Amino acid sequence: MAVSFEPSDRLLEAAGEWADQRMMEDDRALEVKVEQALLEIEHLVSGATEVTFELEDGGERVRFSPSDDLETFLERQSEESGLPVERLLRLHVDLFSNVFLDEDAERPPNAPPTE
């Protein structure tokens, strides 16, 4: 099963912050933040150490094929909550979107302007 969802504002903001902290392009930062969040979820549910996903339409959609364990977990949550699997995965990704952000990180004084 492949699951597709739109990145939330929370995820996009976290990616923007990641881009600023790491001085990288926004699209690459979004890719990193999606990977981090999906990997955290997969690891907690299935113990996986790798994930495969695609950013489609210029980052407008995330397409992800969960492991069998995560698929079962999401389907069970869907049955219990009445929410679609896509919505549940997006909610889980939102929970992990700020993982690894440096709360007190400052841009280096020699960093180029972001605007």
Side-chain angles (χ1 to χ4, degrees), residues 19-33:
D20 288 346
Q21 289 177 0
R22 303 298 188 281
M23 293 183 288
M24 64 174 36
E25 297 294 323
D26 288 342
D27 56 342
R28 176 67 182 129
L30 177 59
E31 184 178 341
V32 169
K33 292 310 295 175

Side-chain angles (χ1 to χ4, degrees), residues 3-60:
V3 181
S4 178
F5 63 91
E6 263 183 57
S8 68
D9 290 342
R10 178 183 166 100
L11 177 58
L12 294 173
E13 288 171 14
E17 189 174 334
W18 186 264
D20 288 346
Q21 289 177 0
R22 303 298 188 281
M23 293 183 288
M24 64 174 36
E25 297 294 323
D26 288 342
D27 56 342
R28 176 67 182 129
L30 177 59
E31 184 178 341
V32 169
K33 292 310 295 175
V34 169
E35 181 176 24
Q36 289 173 345
L38 290 173
L39 188 54
E40 289 293 322
I41 296 162
E42 268 290 4
H43 185 72
L44 287 171
V45 174
S46 70
T49 57
E50 292 183 23
V51 292
T52 303
F53 66 95
E54 295 177 39
L55 290 178
E56 300 175 333
D57 303 324
E60 296 291 320

Side-chain angles (χ1 to χ4, degrees), residues 65-85:
S65 294
S67 67
D68 291 343
D69 289 342
L70 181 54
E71 181 178 344
T72 300
F73 177 79
L74 291 170
E75 287 174 346
R76 188 173 60 244
Q77 282 191 326
S78 179
E79 289 172 10
E80 292 172 0
S81 69
L83 294 172
V85 168

